Amino acid sequence: MNRFINLVFFLSVSLSSCLFPGTASVKLRRNYYHKTCPNVENIVTAAVTKKFQQTFVTAPATIRLFFHDCFALGCDASIMIASSDGSKAEKDHPDNLSLAGDGFDTVIKAKEAVDAVPSCRNKVSCADILAMATRDVIALAGGPSYEVELGRLDGLSSTAGSVDGKLPQPFFNLNQLNSLFAANGLTQKNMIALSAAHTIGFSHCSKFANRIHNFSRETAVDPALNQGYAAQLRGMCPKNVDTRIAIDMDPKTPRKFDNVYFLNLKKGKGLFSSDQVLFHDPRSKPTVNTWANDSHAFKRAFIAAITKLGRVGVKTGKNGNIRRNCAAFN
């Protein structure tokens, strides 16, 4: 029976890899470092916990860093590379300039902790450290804990141009969201689950200013937005506000990773149009309603989605290596 189950799993994974070349789940496995650095997960967790205790921003910053990394060139830590005089790296693309420095610092600190163990030095990739750190901050913020598949190598390329058209925008409708996620082998259900990462973190006012100041010729405020919430947003983000001003994305529980994100959508309190559309579009509304009422179902779906995200564009063999410094190529 076990042999049959293993065969079915292998075939399903192989089929997935063929249909979605961005995924490479067959090349990843749990306990990948059990021989080379057996205590790596505990080392990373300790470093991430220390950073989290210093600032809560560690959590949303690390999650967002992981997502932006995976959706551009795959989950290969190419987002970590610093630009050089002759080349503008991924992290300096306009869509990545708002990534909080605490996310980068979390990976760097965890890498230093791992490499401080002589037997682990230069044995663990930055890409895997980012994946583990993401799992850890989600749990630290009150979200679900899950096993992380490992075995990614670090990418050998990082260009700003590779980010063009690869990341969801705050004004996207459901078709645009589904199309972008499908290009990475992710379903609508996966997309809705991952969107709930907006349950923590913050956004700069410029990302949603059009919804509260100049939505259309007929109305200044997006009618899909809760009017009381819109008034609060206008107070916090007046016209011509300093672009550095940022507000919580979840007005109810901004420091807890939970399903309140979906409850907010039902009340018209999705900060971005791309959030609120998940409730207003009849194709996604049933899922929002289900997860608003069942936090356990949401957590199971989120684990499945972020595990699948972690398989996107994985580098192995000659297509990658293990960086000595996460911010620079070897």
Side-chain angles (χ1 to χ4, degrees):
M1 183 65 179
N2 288 338
R3 189 176 297 175
F4 173 75
I5 292 174
N6 289 337
L7 176 61
V8 170
F9 175 77
F10 174 77
L11 290 174
S12 66
V13 166
S14 298
L15 179 59
S16 174
S17 296
C18 291
L19 292 175
F20 306 111
T23 62
S25 57
V26 72
K27 299 172 183 176
L28 301 177
R29 65 180 187 270
R30 297 170 184 172
N31 300 318
Y32 179 84
Y33 297 101
H34 74 283
K35 290 183 179 179
T36 54
C37 185
N39 202 34
V40 63
E41 296 204 43
N42 289 332
I43 297 171
V44 170
T45 297
V48 172
T49 301
K50 182 178 180 180
K51 174 69 178 176
F52 178 82
Q53 290 171 342
Q54 293 170 352
T55 173
F56 180 83
V57 177
T58 299
T62 304
I63 297 169
R64 191 161 177 243
L65 187 67
F66 181 61
F67 180 87
H68 280 229
D69 182 49
C70 292
F71 257 45
L73 290 172
C75 306
D76 63 354
S78 52
I79 190 72
M80 297 292 300
I81 294 294
S83 294
S84 61
D85 292 337
S87 177
K88 192 175 181 181
E90 238 178 271
K91 67 182 296 185
D92 288 324
H93 185 278
D95 286 350
N96 286 331
L97 293 178
S98 62
L99 290 172
D102 288 297
F104 295 94
D105 191 51
T106 299
V107 177
I108 291 170
K109 292 287 174 44
K111 169 71 168 173
E112 290 174 350
V114 171
D115 283 353
V117 179
S119 60
C120 295
R121 187 171 298 134
N122 298 327
K123 299 287 179 60
V124 182
S125 70
C126 301
D128 275 346
I129 288 174
L130 176 53
M132 286 183 276
T134 300
R135 182 269 312 275
D136 291 337
V137 296
I138 289 169
L140 287 165
S145 185
Y146 55 93
E147 295 286 337
V148 178
E149 297 175 336
L150 302 169
R152 304 166 188 80
L153 289 180
D154 297 323
L156 305 178
S157 173
S158 179
T159 62
S162 65
V163 183
D164 291 340
K166 297 294 180 63
L167 295 170
Q169 300 300 316
F171 53 81
F172 270 12
N173 60 35
L174 191 66
N175 287 339
Q176 291 171 309
L177 289 169
N178 281 337
S179 177
L180 191 64
F181 278 71
N184 290 289
L186 298 164
T187 66
Q188 176 177 287
K189 188 175 181 181
N190 296 150
M191 178 272 291
I192 298 171
L194 291 170
S195 294
H198 288 171
T199 186
I200 58 174
F202 56 87
S203 170
H204 293 93
C205 295
S206 59
K207 295 296 184 181
F208 57 88
N210 69 301
R211 297 192 73 200
I212 58 176
H213 292 303
N214 57 340
F215 183 70
S216 69
R217 291 182 179 179
E218 292 74 28
T219 176
V221 178
D222 183 351
L225 196 59
N226 178 289
Q227 295 306 294
Y229 183 45
Q232 292 176 359
L233 293 176
R234 287 166 67 93
M236 292 184 285
C237 296
K239 286 185 177 180
N240 303 316
V241 68
D242 188 327
T243 56
R244 293 170 294 181
I245 297 297
I247 68 162
D248 292 327
M249 298 188 70
D250 181 341
K252 188 74 174 178
T253 57
R255 287 175 170 255
K256 186 176 181 182
F257 194 102
D258 54 24
N259 69 327
V260 171
Y261 169 81
F262 299 108
L263 293 169
N264 289 336
L265 297 186
K266 294 182 68 172
K267 296 175 182 177
K269 295 183 178 181
L271 187 61
F272 297 154
S273 296
S274 57
D275 291 314
Q276 197 58 52
V277 73
L278 302 180
F279 181 70
H280 280 282
D281 194 300
R283 293 171 293 172
S284 49
K285 185 174 182 177
T287 302
V288 171
N289 283 329
T290 296
W291 291 343
N293 296 324
D294 191 339
S295 63
H296 294 295
F298 159 60
K299 288 180 179 179
R300 289 193 298 270
F302 183 83
I303 290 171
I306 200 160
T307 298
K308 202 170 175 182
L309 172 64
R311 299 168 181 167
V312 173
V314 168
K315 307 299 186 297
T316 59
K318 296 180 180 179
N319 294 318
N321 59 23
I322 294 176
R323 281 186 221 135
R324 292 184 290 273
N325 174 359
C326 290
F329 296 120
N330 291 348

